[in-house]
Amino acid sequence: MTFQPGSDLDAEDVQARVDAAIEENDVVLFMKGNRLMPQCGYSQRALELIDQYVDDFETVDVLPALPEFRDALEAHSGWETTPQTYVEGEFVGGSDVLAELDERGELEATLAGA
């Protein structure tokens, strides 16, 4: 699922895409940029942490419609900041939470949905 800069995504479209990404993927990372070119350090860190343990996960670039993505993600998690990671439909957290889980040796199990 790739969103191109300048796309005409309104709040309803974004909400539908967020809902679908969370529902249809075991692990999904909402981030600034994409896997090949993260656009902020926090997104890059989250990507690296997940990539250590999961080969197949979805990323969604929030930059093309940042205000709409913030609103849609906040409806799911209570947080408006990115990156945000969801595992089996449940909000896990941003890069700081992923790093804490990794330090405690719990990230791999969390990403596996355990």
Side-chain angles (χ1 to χ4, degrees):
M1 184 180 314
T2 302
F3 302 121
Q4 297 300 319
S7 62
D8 296 322
L9 295 173
D10 64 21
E12 193 172 296
D13 291 335
V14 169
Q15 186 67 58
R17 289 174 187 224
V18 166
D19 294 345
I22 291 170
E23 184 178 314
E24 295 170 4
N25 296 284
D26 292 337
V27 178
V28 62
L29 172 63
F30 292 90
M31 62 182 286
K32 292 178 179 172
N34 59 48
R35 263 188 162 142
L36 297 176
M37 191 175 281
Q39 296 297 306
C40 86
Y42 296 110
S43 291
Q44 181 172 347
R45 180 72 175 131
L47 186 65
E48 290 168 352
L49 287 162
I50 294 169
D51 205 34
Q52 292 180 100
Y53 303 108
V54 181
D55 292 328
D56 186 28
F57 63 98
E58 186 66 44
T59 61
V60 178
D61 183 357
V62 300
L63 288 175
L66 189 56
E68 291 82 2
F69 273 105
R70 282 186 175 147
D71 290 344
L73 290 168
E74 186 175 13
H76 279 277
S77 67
W79 286 19
E80 66 174 26
T81 59
T82 54
Q84 289 192 21
T85 305
Y86 291 79
V87 176
E88 294 185 4
E90 297 295 320
F91 175 62
V92 174
S95 59
D96 54 342
V97 173
L98 296 178
E100 287 175 24
L101 290 168
D102 194 40
E103 287 173 18
R104 293 194 311 246
E106 300 171 7
L107 183 58
E108 185 173 15
T110 299
L111 293 172

